[in-house]
Amino acid sequence: MSINLEKPKKRSNLLSRRLFIAGLFLSLLLLQACSNAGGESTGAQTTTKANTTEAKGNVKPVLNYGFIGTNDLNLPGGPEGWGLHKGIIQEELKKHGITEVKWTGFPNGPDLTESLISGRLDLGSMGDTPSIIAYASGAKIRLITQGSTNSIGYLLGKKDGPKTLSELKGKTIAIQKGSFMHRYVVGLLNDAGITDYKLVHMLIPDAKAALARGDVDAMTNNTTQGALEQIEAGFTHLDDATKHPHLKGSGTTVASDEYLASFSDFPKVWNDARKKALADLKQHEEEYYEFIAQLQGQSVEIVKKTNPISAIKEEPFTEEGLKLLEGTKDFLVDEKLAKKNFEINDWVLR
């Protein structure tokens, strides 16, 4: 009898333990279900973002961006500079996996394109002439934005020097080789039938000093680097591109093929961020002009005259801009400044 009583007791204990474990497991399942019900949306969004990033080729967290200009703030002008200055571009790019933007100023276009070609940069903004020359030379870059179409080159003569274009025959002109100003002065003198002159490569600060000393007879410059101040100081205003619309320059932003291969949607992402920065600066026009004046070391009045907000292009490309690019490209090819001809539409990444 004692044995018969003992066995049912063991079975009862075993059954109780099994029921307890099953109940505990069921409770855990219920807790997990409740947790999922409260957090399912966040989890799904995170998964979607991760899947999207994977599909784009694992976006690199750091974007390396170059621009033309050396100033105390180490920033470009336009929506790009304003957006970086205010953090607008950084915040927009973070939504797509880019957690840091590193930017570097360069004295001229050829130096910037060299960094793009070497892989030190992913993206760069510069004048159209150096970017066209680089692409025609085989650089693996694509044009993703043409942000402006109103870059004006100036030709300035030394004091007590040449007063007309014809007086430049046999003279020495300082230019930034490979810049839109280089293209401007060569086109200008060709149109004027002047072929007997010498071009020497100098960065703008060096050219200004050389012109003041009389070491060169003329130089090219632009409004962002003080052409108007030079005229006010007594240097001869020989010509500028406002009189020759076909010789105006435009601003271009190019990205390396390697970077685009890792982030195929980047052109749209960048242009959307740029557009948001442009909309913001239009809401703060006076502050923007003060920002540009500080970048250029000029008065707000001059900035408003030479770099009006109205000249900034909202869309990445316009028919007017592409036509100007075509003319610049054809000129550079004809002058053998660009190594080979190409179709602009093959370069443009819309």
Side-chain angles (χ1 to χ4, degrees):
M1 292 291 296
S2 60
I3 295 174
N4 291 337
L5 289 173
E6 185 66 20
K7 284 183 179 179
K9 184 177 180 181
K10 286 183 179 179
R11 289 194 187 98
S12 176
N13 290 340
L14 181 61
L15 181 60
S16 297
R17 284 198 299 270
R18 287 176 177 175
L19 288 172
F20 174 77
I21 292 171
L24 180 62
F25 183 68
L26 180 60
S27 297
L28 289 172
L29 288 176
L30 289 171
L31 284 171
Q32 185 177 2
C34 292
S35 175
N36 285 342
E40 184 177 0
S41 176
T42 302
Q45 287 177 2
T46 302
T47 302
T48 300
K49 288 181 180 178
N51 288 343
T52 302
T53 302
E54 183 68 28
K56 291 175 182 174
N58 292 321
V59 175
K60 295 189 293 183
V62 179
L63 174 70
N64 293 293
Y65 172 57
F67 63 93
I68 303 300
T70 52
N71 52 69
D72 292 340
L73 295 181
N74 188 34
L75 282 166
E80 295 82 1
W82 180 259
L84 293 171
H85 175 56
K86 290 295 185 179
I88 297 169
I89 288 179
Q90 294 94 316
E91 285 302 312
E92 289 301 303
L93 296 183
K94 278 182 182 178
K95 299 174 183 177
H96 302 274
I98 298 173
T99 58
E100 183 180 1
V101 182
K102 293 182 178 179
W103 59 86
T104 307
F106 290 80
N108 58 21
D111 288 344
L112 195 160
T113 55
E114 182 181 341
S115 288
L116 272 168
I117 293 168
S118 68
R120 293 194 296 272
L121 294 177
D122 306 306
L123 176 76
S125 295
M126 72 198 90
D128 52 14
T129 294
S131 59
I132 288 172
I133 290 174
Y135 184 74
S137 299
K140 303 298 184 182
I141 56 175
R142 297 293 297 275
L143 180 64
I144 66 170
T145 312
Q146 187 184 20
S148 66
T149 57
N150 196 43
S151 300
I152 307 298
Y154 281 74
L155 181 59
L156 307 172
K158 67 180 180 180
K159 297 176 181 178
D160 301 322
K163 303 299 181 186
T164 64
L165 292 181
S166 61
E167 293 178 40
L168 287 173
K169 291 179 180 179
K171 303 298 184 181
T172 300
I173 305 169
I175 54 104
Q176 275 198 178
K177 186 177 181 181
S179 69
F180 80 89
M181 295 170 288
H182 181 186
R183 184 255 169 160
Y184 154 70
V185 76
V186 171
L188 173 69
L189 297 177
N190 279 0
D191 289 349
I194 301 170
T195 57
D196 180 18
Y197 58 87
K198 180 181 179 182
L199 298 179
V200 293
H201 168 61
M202 289 186 181
L203 298 179
I204 295 297
D206 297 332
K208 284 182 176 180
L211 190 68
R213 292 192 303 266
D215 295 344
V216 295
D217 300 290
M219 69 170 286
T220 56
N221 200 356
N222 58 66
T223 56
T224 64
Q225 299 190 68
L228 298 184
E229 286 82 354
Q230 286 182 284
I231 294 170
E232 290 180 0
F235 293 95
T236 303
H237 180 193
L238 293 168
D239 191 84
D240 66 71
T242 59
K243 306 167 188 174
H244 317 278
H246 66 293
L247 296 177
K248 288 182 180 180
S250 62
T252 60
T253 297
V254 297
S256 71
D257 284 4
E258 181 181 359
Y259 186 76
L260 293 170
S262 70
F263 190 177
S264 60
D265 287 344
F266 178 73
K268 182 181 186 307
V269 169
W270 176 261
N271 286 318
D272 285 349
R274 178 185 178 275
K275 187 178 290 188
K276 189 167 184 177
L278 177 57
D280 185 81
L281 74 84
K282 286 181 177 179
Q283 297 297 316
H284 305 88
E285 289 195 1
E286 288 302 318
E287 187 182 348
Y288 172 75
Y289 282 127
E290 289 171 3
F291 165 70
I292 297 299
Q294 187 176 356
L295 285 184
Q296 298 178 3
Q298 301 187 111
S299 68
V300 172
E301 289 70 26
I302 288 180
V303 168
K304 288 181 177 180
K305 179 181 178 181
T306 58
N307 293 273
I309 292 173
S310 59
I312 302 173
K313 301 298 183 184
E314 182 173 343
E315 297 303 322
F317 301 103
T318 63
E319 290 306 315
E320 170 203 4
L322 293 175
K323 184 177 180 180
L324 185 60
L325 275 182
E326 190 72 45
T328 301
K329 184 262 299 181
D330 290 345
F331 171 84
L332 294 172
V333 170
D334 290 343
E335 291 297 312
K336 295 181 171 50
L337 295 171
K339 286 187 177 180
K340 66 177 182 180
N341 204 348
F342 62 90
E343 293 293 330
I344 289 292
N345 286 331
D346 290 341
W347 182 36
V348 172
L349 189 58
R350 296 181 186 272

